[in-house]
Amino acid sequence: MAIVRAQVLSVVSVFFSLAAPAAPIQDLFTQLRDSGLNYEVVGTVCEQVSRLELQKVYPVSQYEVVNGIEYGDATRTIGELDVVVFDKATKKAVLVGEVKCWKDLKSAIAKARDQRFRFQKSLAKDIALHDYQTDYDKEQFSSVQKYVAIAPKGAKAAGFEVDMENSLGELMQLRDMLMTCQDQGQCAPPSRDH
């Protein structure tokens, strides 16, 4: 199992280090049009596209890529994990990513690092983790192999570990297409569940 993980991490490193061609916006639109998510929240489109990109590296037969896991204590929500990759066999998280869709990449990487630190510190406490349909156990996060900060194309120069395939402008164009489609009733409207 350790050899397989090492091979996957090697593949991920190679995948993310190469300048991947931008995914066609129309293809991304087709994959996201019926998600029922609220794309008025700017980061949502980037989080969803990062999930799609990670699914290319982590095959669905072995991994599950999830967006929007919240964590907190008995009184409040402390934070949210933008994208998490789980090994289906062990149910353990192998990658946790913070996704930023900001123009100011210097501030964005600082925020991503703060969020990473806050989550890692919170794991030592009594916290609950969940998304809109699943509860998670903090033990599932006890051996995360990789924490990454993800942002649109060109962000590695600002300290991000992962460049997305598309530029911020392309992702905002996709967001506009999705919101227009939802407004016109041609795509699944935003659900209250997510």
PDB file of all heavy atoms in Angstrom, residues 116-148:
ATOM      1  N   ARG A 116      -4.494  26.340   6.772  1.00  0.00           N
ATOM      2  CA  ARG A 116      -3.850  25.035   6.931  1.00  0.00           C
ATOM      3  C   ARG A 116      -3.393  24.848   8.376  1.00  0.00           C
ATOM      4  O   ARG A 116      -3.644  23.823   8.995  1.00  0.00           O
ATOM      5  CB  ARG A 116      -2.662  24.922   5.980  1.00  0.00           C
ATOM      6  CG  ARG A 116      -1.891  23.616   6.089  1.00  0.00           C
ATOM      7  CD  ARG A 116      -0.645  23.619   5.227  1.00  0.00           C
ATOM      8  NE  ARG A 116      -0.940  23.967   3.848  1.00  0.00           N
ATOM      9  CZ  ARG A 116      -0.011  24.171   2.918  1.00  0.00           C
ATOM     10  NH1 ARG A 116       1.262  24.042   3.201  1.00  0.00           N
ATOM     11  NH2 ARG A 116      -0.348  24.493   1.691  1.00  0.00           N
ATOM     12  N   PHE A 117      -2.714  25.863   8.919  1.00  0.00           N
ATOM     13  CA  PHE A 117      -2.212  25.804  10.290  1.00  0.00           C
ATOM     14  C   PHE A 117      -3.366  25.665  11.278  1.00  0.00           C
ATOM     15  O   PHE A 117      -3.306  24.872  12.227  1.00  0.00           O
ATOM     16  CB  PHE A 117      -1.366  27.043  10.595  1.00  0.00           C
ATOM     17  CG  PHE A 117      -0.888  27.098  12.020  1.00  0.00           C
ATOM     18  CD1 PHE A 117       0.113  26.248  12.466  1.00  0.00           C
ATOM     19  CD2 PHE A 117      -1.455  27.993  12.913  1.00  0.00           C
ATOM     20  CE1 PHE A 117       0.550  26.286  13.786  1.00  0.00           C
ATOM     21  CE2 PHE A 117      -1.027  28.041  14.232  1.00  0.00           C
ATOM     22  CZ  PHE A 117      -0.026  27.185  14.667  1.00  0.00           C
ATOM     23  N   ARG A 118      -4.435  26.433  11.077  1.00  0.00           N
ATOM     24  CA  ARG A 118      -5.596  26.380  11.974  1.00  0.00           C
ATOM     25  C   ARG A 118      -6.209  24.980  11.983  1.00  0.00           C
ATOM     26  O   ARG A 118      -6.550  24.439  13.038  1.00  0.00           O
ATOM     27  CB  ARG A 118      -6.637  27.418  11.566  1.00  0.00           C
ATOM     28  CG  ARG A 118      -7.845  27.450  12.500  1.00  0.00           C
ATOM     29  CD  ARG A 118      -8.811  28.567  12.165  1.00  0.00           C
ATOM     30  NE  ARG A 118      -9.369  28.354  10.851  1.00  0.00           N
ATOM     31  CZ  ARG A 118      -9.633  29.323   9.985  1.00  0.00           C
ATOM     32  NH1 ARG A 118      -9.375  30.576  10.268  1.00  0.00           N
ATOM     33  NH2 ARG A 118     -10.160  29.041   8.814  1.00  0.00           N
ATOM     34  N   PHE A 119      -6.320  24.361  10.808  1.00  0.00           N
ATOM     35  CA  PHE A 119      -6.871  23.007  10.757  1.00  0.00           C
ATOM     36  C   PHE A 119      -5.951  22.013  11.455  1.00  0.00           C
ATOM     37  O   PHE A 119      -6.397  21.195  12.262  1.00  0.00           O
ATOM     38  CB  PHE A 119      -7.120  22.557   9.312  1.00  0.00           C
ATOM     39  CG  PHE A 119      -7.579  21.132   9.222  1.00  0.00           C
ATOM     40  CD1 PHE A 119      -8.798  20.753   9.752  1.00  0.00           C
ATOM     41  CD2 PHE A 119      -6.786  20.168   8.636  1.00  0.00           C
ATOM     42  CE1 PHE A 119      -9.223  19.428   9.696  1.00  0.00           C
ATOM     43  CE2 PHE A 119      -7.195  18.841   8.571  1.00  0.00           C
ATOM     44  CZ  PHE A 119      -8.420  18.478   9.105  1.00  0.00           C
ATOM     45  N   GLN A 120      -4.671  22.069  11.170  1.00  0.00           N
ATOM     46  CA  GLN A 120      -3.723  21.143  11.788  1.00  0.00           C
ATOM     47  C   GLN A 120      -3.729  21.301  13.309  1.00  0.00           C
ATOM     48  O   GLN A 120      -3.677  20.310  14.043  1.00  0.00           O
ATOM     49  CB  GLN A 120      -2.320  21.360  11.209  1.00  0.00           C
ATOM     50  CG  GLN A 120      -2.227  20.917   9.767  1.00  0.00           C
ATOM     51  CD  GLN A 120      -0.927  21.317   9.088  1.00  0.00           C
ATOM     52  OE1 GLN A 120      -0.339  22.359   9.389  1.00  0.00           O
ATOM     53  NE2 GLN A 120      -0.463  20.490   8.159  1.00  0.00           N
ATOM     54  N   LYS A 121      -3.827  22.528  13.791  1.00  0.00           N
ATOM     55  CA  LYS A 121      -3.896  22.788  15.228  1.00  0.00           C
ATOM     56  C   LYS A 121      -5.222  22.262  15.804  1.00  0.00           C
ATOM     57  O   LYS A 121      -5.245  21.711  16.904  1.00  0.00           O
ATOM     58  CB  LYS A 121      -3.760  24.295  15.465  1.00  0.00           C
ATOM     59  CG  LYS A 121      -3.530  24.704  16.891  1.00  0.00           C
ATOM     60  CD  LYS A 121      -3.154  26.168  16.959  1.00  0.00           C
ATOM     61  CE  LYS A 121      -4.301  26.926  17.561  1.00  0.00           C
ATOM     62  NZ  LYS A 121      -4.080  28.346  17.682  1.00  0.00           N
ATOM     63  N   SER A 122      -6.299  22.403  15.052  1.00  0.00           N
ATOM     64  CA  SER A 122      -7.613  21.957  15.515  1.00  0.00           C
ATOM     65  C   SER A 122      -7.708  20.444  15.651  1.00  0.00           C
ATOM     66  O   SER A 122      -8.502  19.936  16.444  1.00  0.00           O
ATOM     67  CB  SER A 122      -8.712  22.449  14.559  1.00  0.00           C
ATOM     68  OG  SER A 122      -8.802  23.848  14.590  1.00  0.00           O
ATOM     69  N   LEU A 123      -6.902  19.720  14.875  1.00  0.00           N
ATOM     70  CA  LEU A 123      -6.936  18.254  14.956  1.00  0.00           C
ATOM     71  C   LEU A 123      -6.545  17.738  16.344  1.00  0.00           C
ATOM     72  O   LEU A 123      -6.918  16.622  16.715  1.00  0.00           O
ATOM     73  CB  LEU A 123      -6.022  17.629  13.899  1.00  0.00           C
ATOM     74  CG  LEU A 123      -6.559  17.624  12.476  1.00  0.00           C
ATOM     75  CD1 LEU A 123      -5.496  17.121  11.512  1.00  0.00           C
ATOM     76  CD2 LEU A 123      -7.832  16.789  12.365  1.00  0.00           C
ATOM     77  N   ALA A 124      -5.830  18.544  17.113  1.00  0.00           N
ATOM     78  CA  ALA A 124      -5.443  18.141  18.470  1.00  0.00           C
ATOM     79  C   ALA A 124      -6.590  18.327  19.464  1.00  0.00           C
ATOM     80  O   ALA A 124      -6.508  17.871  20.597  1.00  0.00           O
ATOM     81  CB  ALA A 124      -4.230  18.948  18.920  1.00  0.00           C
ATOM     82  N   LYS A 125      -7.657  18.971  19.025  1.00  0.00           N
ATOM     83  CA  LYS A 125      -8.799  19.257  19.901  1.00  0.00           C
ATOM     84  C   LYS A 125      -9.955  18.306  19.582  1.00  0.00           C
ATOM     85  O   LYS A 125      -9.898  17.525  18.642  1.00  0.00           O
ATOM     86  CB  LYS A 125      -9.246  20.708  19.707  1.00  0.00           C
ATOM     87  CG  LYS A 125      -8.165  21.721  20.009  1.00  0.00           C
ATOM     88  CD  LYS A 125      -8.644  23.108  19.693  1.00  0.00           C
ATOM     89  CE  LYS A 125      -7.525  24.119  19.923  1.00  0.00           C
ATOM     90  NZ  LYS A 125      -7.888  25.439  19.474  1.00  0.00           N
ATOM     91  N   ASP A 126     -11.004  18.447  20.362  1.00  0.00           N
ATOM     92  CA  ASP A 126     -12.221  17.670  20.133  1.00  0.00           C
ATOM     93  C   ASP A 126     -13.060  18.405  19.090  1.00  0.00           C
ATOM     94  O   ASP A 126     -13.757  19.382  19.412  1.00  0.00           O
ATOM     95  CB  ASP A 126     -12.998  17.518  21.442  1.00  0.00           C
ATOM     96  CG  ASP A 126     -14.204  16.607  21.285  1.00  0.00           C
ATOM     97  OD1 ASP A 126     -14.212  15.796  20.337  1.00  0.00           O
ATOM     98  OD2 ASP A 126     -15.131  16.714  22.105  1.00  0.00           O
ATOM     99  N   ILE A 127     -12.939  17.988  17.837  1.00  0.00           N
ATOM    100  CA  ILE A 127     -13.679  18.651  16.758  1.00  0.00           C
ATOM    101  C   ILE A 127     -14.562  17.650  16.020  1.00  0.00           C
ATOM    102  O   ILE A 127     -14.327  16.449  16.058  1.00  0.00           O
ATOM    103  CB  ILE A 127     -12.743  19.348  15.737  1.00  0.00           C
ATOM    104  CG1 ILE A 127     -11.783  18.340  15.082  1.00  0.00           C
ATOM    105  CG2 ILE A 127     -12.003  20.501  16.386  1.00  0.00           C
ATOM    106  CD1 ILE A 127     -11.035  18.895  13.884  1.00  0.00           C
ATOM    107  N   ALA A 128     -15.567  18.204  15.373  1.00  0.00           N
ATOM    108  CA  ALA A 128     -16.441  17.417  14.504  1.00  0.00           C
ATOM    109  C   ALA A 128     -16.225  17.902  13.080  1.00  0.00           C
ATOM    110  O   ALA A 128     -15.992  19.096  12.845  1.00  0.00           O
ATOM    111  CB  ALA A 128     -17.898  17.607  14.912  1.00  0.00           C
ATOM    112  N   LEU A 129     -16.287  16.991  12.123  1.00  0.00           N
ATOM    113  CA  LEU A 129     -16.115  17.328  10.710  1.00  0.00           C
ATOM    114  C   LEU A 129     -17.304  16.792   9.937  1.00  0.00           C
ATOM    115  O   LEU A 129     -17.738  15.656  10.148  1.00  0.00           O
ATOM    116  CB  LEU A 129     -14.827  16.690  10.169  1.00  0.00           C
ATOM    117  CG  LEU A 129     -13.532  17.139  10.812  1.00  0.00           C
ATOM    118  CD1 LEU A 129     -12.988  16.065  11.709  1.00  0.00           C
ATOM    119  CD2 LEU A 129     -12.525  17.512   9.753  1.00  0.00           C
ATOM    120  N   HIS A 130     -17.816  17.617   9.008  1.00  0.00           N
ATOM    121  CA  HIS A 130     -18.972  17.176   8.218  1.00  0.00           C
ATOM    122  C   HIS A 130     -19.125  18.046   6.975  1.00  0.00           C
ATOM    123  O   HIS A 130     -18.629  19.172   6.913  1.00  0.00           O
ATOM    124  CB  HIS A 130     -20.262  17.242   9.051  1.00  0.00           C
ATOM    125  CG  HIS A 130     -20.577  18.635   9.513  1.00  0.00           C
ATOM    126  ND1 HIS A 130     -21.325  19.511   8.777  1.00  0.00           N
ATOM    127  CD2 HIS A 130     -20.205  19.310  10.627  1.00  0.00           C
ATOM    128  CE1 HIS A 130     -21.425  20.665   9.411  1.00  0.00           C
ATOM    129  NE2 HIS A 130     -20.745  20.566  10.544  1.00  0.00           N
ATOM    130  N   ASP A 131     -19.815  17.495   5.993  1.00  0.00           N
ATOM    131  CA  ASP A 131     -20.286  18.297   4.878  1.00  0.00           C
ATOM    132  C   ASP A 131     -21.803  18.174   4.886  1.00  0.00           C
ATOM    133  O   ASP A 131     -22.385  17.706   5.867  1.00  0.00           O
ATOM    134  CB  ASP A 131     -19.630  17.900   3.541  1.00  0.00           C
ATOM    135  CG  ASP A 131     -19.916  16.465   3.117  1.00  0.00           C
ATOM    136  OD1 ASP A 131     -20.886  15.854   3.600  1.00  0.00           O
ATOM    137  OD2 ASP A 131     -19.148  15.947   2.277  1.00  0.00           O
ATOM    138  N   TYR A 132     -22.470  18.551   3.822  1.00  0.00           N
ATOM    139  CA  TYR A 132     -23.926  18.564   3.835  1.00  0.00           C
ATOM    140  C   TYR A 132     -24.560  17.179   3.895  1.00  0.00           C
ATOM    141  O   TYR A 132     -25.743  17.047   4.189  1.00  0.00           O
ATOM    142  CB  TYR A 132     -24.471  19.352   2.635  1.00  0.00           C
ATOM    143  CG  TYR A 132     -24.240  18.693   1.305  1.00  0.00           C
ATOM    144  CD1 TYR A 132     -25.231  17.920   0.718  1.00  0.00           C
ATOM    145  CD2 TYR A 132     -23.034  18.840   0.629  1.00  0.00           C
ATOM    146  CE1 TYR A 132     -25.025  17.297  -0.501  1.00  0.00           C
ATOM    147  CE2 TYR A 132     -22.816  18.227  -0.591  1.00  0.00           C
ATOM    148  CZ  TYR A 132     -23.811  17.469  -1.148  1.00  0.00           C
ATOM    149  OH  TYR A 132     -23.604  16.850  -2.354  1.00  0.00           O
ATOM    150  N   GLN A 133     -23.776  16.121   3.677  1.00  0.00           N
ATOM    151  CA  GLN A 133     -24.372  14.788   3.705  1.00  0.00           C
ATOM    152  C   GLN A 133     -23.601  13.747   4.512  1.00  0.00           C
ATOM    153  O   GLN A 133     -24.103  12.671   4.763  1.00  0.00           O
ATOM    154  CB  GLN A 133     -24.573  14.265   2.285  1.00  0.00           C
ATOM    155  CG  GLN A 133     -23.283  14.090   1.500  1.00  0.00           C
ATOM    156  CD  GLN A 133     -23.524  13.659   0.068  1.00  0.00           C
ATOM    157  OE1 GLN A 133     -24.653  13.638  -0.393  1.00  0.00           O
ATOM    158  NE2 GLN A 133     -22.462  13.304  -0.624  1.00  0.00           N
ATOM    159  N   THR A 134     -22.373  14.047   4.941  1.00  0.00           N
ATOM    160  CA  THR A 134     -21.532  13.040   5.591  1.00  0.00           C
ATOM    161  C   THR A 134     -20.847  13.603   6.832  1.00  0.00           C
ATOM    162  O   THR A 134     -20.392  14.747   6.824  1.00  0.00           O
ATOM    163  CB  THR A 134     -20.439  12.562   4.601  1.00  0.00           C
ATOM    164  OG1 THR A 134     -21.067  12.096   3.401  1.00  0.00           O
ATOM    165  CG2 THR A 134     -19.602  11.446   5.195  1.00  0.00           C
ATOM    166  N   ASP A 135     -20.758  12.780   7.880  1.00  0.00           N
ATOM    167  CA  ASP A 135     -19.944  13.096   9.048  1.00  0.00           C
ATOM    168  C   ASP A 135     -18.622  12.368   8.894  1.00  0.00           C
ATOM    169  O   ASP A 135     -18.579  11.228   8.442  1.00  0.00           O
ATOM    170  CB  ASP A 135     -20.635  12.636  10.334  1.00  0.00           C
ATOM    171  CG  ASP A 135     -21.853  13.477  10.675  1.00  0.00           C
ATOM    172  OD1 ASP A 135     -21.871  14.679  10.322  1.00  0.00           O
ATOM    173  OD2 ASP A 135     -22.796  12.936  11.285  1.00  0.00           O
ATOM    174  N   TYR A 136     -17.544  13.029   9.283  1.00  0.00           N
ATOM    175  CA  TYR A 136     -16.203  12.458   9.203  1.00  0.00           C
ATOM    176  C   TYR A 136     -15.619  12.372  10.602  1.00  0.00           C
ATOM    177  O   TYR A 136     -16.005  13.128  11.497  1.00  0.00           O
ATOM    178  CB  TYR A 136     -15.296  13.318   8.307  1.00  0.00           C
ATOM    179  CG  TYR A 136     -15.815  13.446   6.901  1.00  0.00           C
ATOM    180  CD1 TYR A 136     -16.659  14.490   6.547  1.00  0.00           C
ATOM    181  CD2 TYR A 136     -15.485  12.513   5.925  1.00  0.00           C
ATOM    182  CE1 TYR A 136     -17.154  14.605   5.254  1.00  0.00           C
ATOM    183  CE2 TYR A 136     -15.980  12.621   4.632  1.00  0.00           C
ATOM    184  CZ  TYR A 136     -16.814  13.671   4.305  1.00  0.00           C
ATOM    185  OH  TYR A 136     -17.307  13.778   3.034  1.00  0.00           O
ATOM    186  N   ASP A 137     -14.673  11.475  10.776  1.00  0.00           N
ATOM    187  CA  ASP A 137     -13.972  11.315  12.040  1.00  0.00           C
ATOM    188  C   ASP A 137     -12.606  11.978  11.903  1.00  0.00           C
ATOM    189  O   ASP A 137     -11.938  11.814  10.873  1.00  0.00           O
ATOM    190  CB  ASP A 137     -13.813   9.815  12.339  1.00  0.00           C
ATOM    191  CG  ASP A 137     -13.248   9.560  13.706  1.00  0.00           C
ATOM    192  OD1 ASP A 137     -12.090   9.965  13.958  1.00  0.00           O
ATOM    193  OD2 ASP A 137     -13.945   8.938  14.517  1.00  0.00           O
ATOM    194  N   LYS A 138     -12.172  12.704  12.930  1.00  0.00           N
ATOM    195  CA  LYS A 138     -10.871  13.382  12.811  1.00  0.00           C
ATOM    196  C   LYS A 138      -9.727  12.391  12.614  1.00  0.00           C
ATOM    197  O   LYS A 138      -8.696  12.741  12.053  1.00  0.00           O
ATOM    198  CB  LYS A 138     -10.618  14.325  13.977  1.00  0.00           C
ATOM    199  CG  LYS A 138     -10.267  13.696  15.279  1.00  0.00           C
ATOM    200  CD  LYS A 138      -9.963  14.782  16.302  1.00  0.00           C
ATOM    201  CE  LYS A 138      -9.457  14.167  17.586  1.00  0.00           C
ATOM    202  NZ  LYS A 138      -9.058  15.205  18.531  1.00  0.00           N
ATOM    203  N   GLU A 139      -9.929  11.133  13.003  1.00  0.00           N
ATOM    204  CA  GLU A 139      -8.918  10.097  12.794  1.00  0.00           C
ATOM    205  C   GLU A 139      -8.646   9.890  11.291  1.00  0.00           C
ATOM    206  O   GLU A 139      -7.557   9.498  10.900  1.00  0.00           O
ATOM    207  CB  GLU A 139      -9.347   8.785  13.458  1.00  0.00           C
ATOM    208  CG  GLU A 139      -8.343   7.671  13.358  1.00  0.00           C
ATOM    209  CD  GLU A 139      -6.974   7.981  13.956  1.00  0.00           C
ATOM    210  OE1 GLU A 139      -6.890   8.758  14.933  1.00  0.00           O
ATOM    211  OE2 GLU A 139      -5.970   7.450  13.437  1.00  0.00           O
ATOM    212  N   GLN A 140      -9.641  10.194  10.463  1.00  0.00           N
ATOM    213  CA  GLN A 140      -9.462  10.073   9.014  1.00  0.00           C
ATOM    214  C   GLN A 140      -8.414  11.057   8.495  1.00  0.00           C
ATOM    215  O   GLN A 140      -7.912  10.912   7.387  1.00  0.00           O
ATOM    216  CB  GLN A 140     -10.796  10.306   8.294  1.00  0.00           C
ATOM    217  CG  GLN A 140     -11.808   9.206   8.528  1.00  0.00           C
ATOM    218  CD  GLN A 140     -13.122   9.523   7.848  1.00  0.00           C
ATOM    219  OE1 GLN A 140     -14.012  10.098   8.460  1.00  0.00           O
ATOM    220  NE2 GLN A 140     -13.230   9.150   6.576  1.00  0.00           N
ATOM    221  N   PHE A 141      -8.073  12.058   9.288  1.00  0.00           N
ATOM    222  CA  PHE A 141      -7.119  13.092   8.891  1.00  0.00           C
ATOM    223  C   PHE A 141      -5.788  12.947   9.628  1.00  0.00           C
ATOM    224  O   PHE A 141      -4.951  13.841   9.586  1.00  0.00           O
ATOM    225  CB  PHE A 141      -7.723  14.476   9.153  1.00  0.00           C
ATOM    226  CG  PHE A 141      -8.914  14.755   8.293  1.00  0.00           C
ATOM    227  CD1 PHE A 141     -10.178  14.332   8.687  1.00  0.00           C
ATOM    228  CD2 PHE A 141      -8.783  15.400   7.074  1.00  0.00           C
ATOM    229  CE1 PHE A 141     -11.290  14.570   7.895  1.00  0.00           C
ATOM    230  CE2 PHE A 141      -9.889  15.635   6.276  1.00  0.00           C
ATOM    231  CZ  PHE A 141     -11.141  15.219   6.683  1.00  0.00           C
ATOM    232  N   SER A 142      -5.579  11.818  10.291  1.00  0.00           N
ATOM    233  CA  SER A 142      -4.389  11.633  11.134  1.00  0.00           C
ATOM    234  C   SER A 142      -3.104  11.412  10.338  1.00  0.00           C
ATOM    235  O   SER A 142      -2.016  11.598  10.876  1.00  0.00           O
ATOM    236  CB  SER A 142      -4.605  10.467  12.093  1.00  0.00           C
ATOM    237  OG  SER A 142      -4.750   9.258  11.361  1.00  0.00           O
ATOM    238  N   SER A 143      -3.226  11.033   9.091  1.00  0.00           N
ATOM    239  CA  SER A 143      -2.005  10.759   8.319  1.00  0.00           C
ATOM    240  C   SER A 143      -2.073  11.375   6.918  1.00  0.00           C
ATOM    241  O   SER A 143      -1.712  10.743   5.935  1.00  0.00           O
ATOM    242  CB  SER A 143      -1.774   9.247   8.232  1.00  0.00           C
ATOM    243  OG  SER A 143      -2.904   8.612   7.665  1.00  0.00           O
ATOM    244  N   VAL A 144      -2.540  12.622   6.842  1.00  0.00           N
ATOM    245  CA  VAL A 144      -2.606  13.328   5.557  1.00  0.00           C
ATOM    246  C   VAL A 144      -1.204  13.394   4.981  1.00  0.00           C
ATOM    247  O   VAL A 144      -0.259  13.806   5.653  1.00  0.00           O
ATOM    248  CB  VAL A 144      -3.196  14.739   5.724  1.00  0.00           C
ATOM    249  CG1 VAL A 144      -3.121  15.519   4.417  1.00  0.00           C
ATOM    250  CG2 VAL A 144      -4.628  14.669   6.228  1.00  0.00           C
ATOM    251  N   GLN A 145      -1.067  12.954   3.726  1.00  0.00           N
ATOM    252  CA  GLN A 145       0.245  12.907   3.086  1.00  0.00           C
ATOM    253  C   GLN A 145       0.661  14.251   2.493  1.00  0.00           C
ATOM    254  O   GLN A 145       1.843  14.540   2.357  1.00  0.00           O
ATOM    255  CB  GLN A 145       0.238  11.844   1.979  1.00  0.00           C
ATOM    256  CG  GLN A 145      -0.020  10.466   2.517  1.00  0.00           C
ATOM    257  CD  GLN A 145      -0.385   9.478   1.418  1.00  0.00           C
ATOM    258  OE1 GLN A 145      -0.389   9.805   0.236  1.00  0.00           O
ATOM    259  NE2 GLN A 145      -0.708   8.264   1.809  1.00  0.00           N
ATOM    260  N   LYS A 146      -0.337  15.052   2.138  1.00  0.00           N
ATOM    261  CA  LYS A 146       0.007  16.277   1.424  1.00  0.00           C
ATOM    262  C   LYS A 146      -1.035  17.360   1.715  1.00  0.00           C
ATOM    263  O   LYS A 146      -2.232  17.133   1.557  1.00  0.00           O
ATOM    264  CB  LYS A 146       0.050  15.960  -0.071  1.00  0.00           C
ATOM    265  CG  LYS A 146       0.739  16.992  -0.894  1.00  0.00           C
ATOM    266  CD  LYS A 146       1.074  16.422  -2.267  1.00  0.00           C
ATOM    267  CE  LYS A 146       1.895  17.400  -3.011  1.00  0.00           C
ATOM    268  NZ  LYS A 146       3.114  16.928  -3.538  1.00  0.00           N
ATOM    269  N   TYR A 147      -0.542  18.522   2.141  1.00  0.00           N
ATOM    270  CA  TYR A 147      -1.363  19.721   2.258  1.00  0.00           C
ATOM    271  C   TYR A 147      -0.909  20.654   1.140  1.00  0.00           C
ATOM    272  O   TYR A 147       0.298  20.881   0.981  1.00  0.00           O
ATOM    273  CB  TYR A 147      -1.147  20.412   3.604  1.00  0.00           C
ATOM    274  CG  TYR A 147      -1.805  19.715   4.769  1.00  0.00           C
ATOM    275  CD1 TYR A 147      -1.128  18.756   5.500  1.00  0.00           C
ATOM    276  CD2 TYR A 147      -3.113  20.028   5.143  1.00  0.00           C
ATOM    277  CE1 TYR A 147      -1.730  18.116   6.581  1.00  0.00           C
ATOM    278  CE2 TYR A 147      -3.722  19.386   6.212  1.00  0.00           C
ATOM    279  CZ  TYR A 147      -3.024  18.437   6.928  1.00  0.00           C
ATOM    280  OH  TYR A 147      -3.632  17.805   7.987  1.00  0.00           O
ATOM    281  N   VAL A 148      -1.856  21.166   0.364  1.00  0.00           N
ATOM    282  CA  VAL A 148      -1.498  22.028  -0.763  1.00  0.00           C
ATOM    283  C   VAL A 148      -2.368  23.271  -0.803  1.00  0.00           C
ATOM    284  O   VAL A 148      -3.524  23.241  -0.393  1.00  0.00           O
ATOM    285  CB  VAL A 148      -1.590  21.279  -2.123  1.00  0.00           C
ATOM    286  CG1 VAL A 148      -0.578  20.155  -2.206  1.00  0.00           C
ATOM    287  CG2 VAL A 148      -2.996  20.776  -2.389  1.00  0.00           C
TER     288      VAL A 148
END
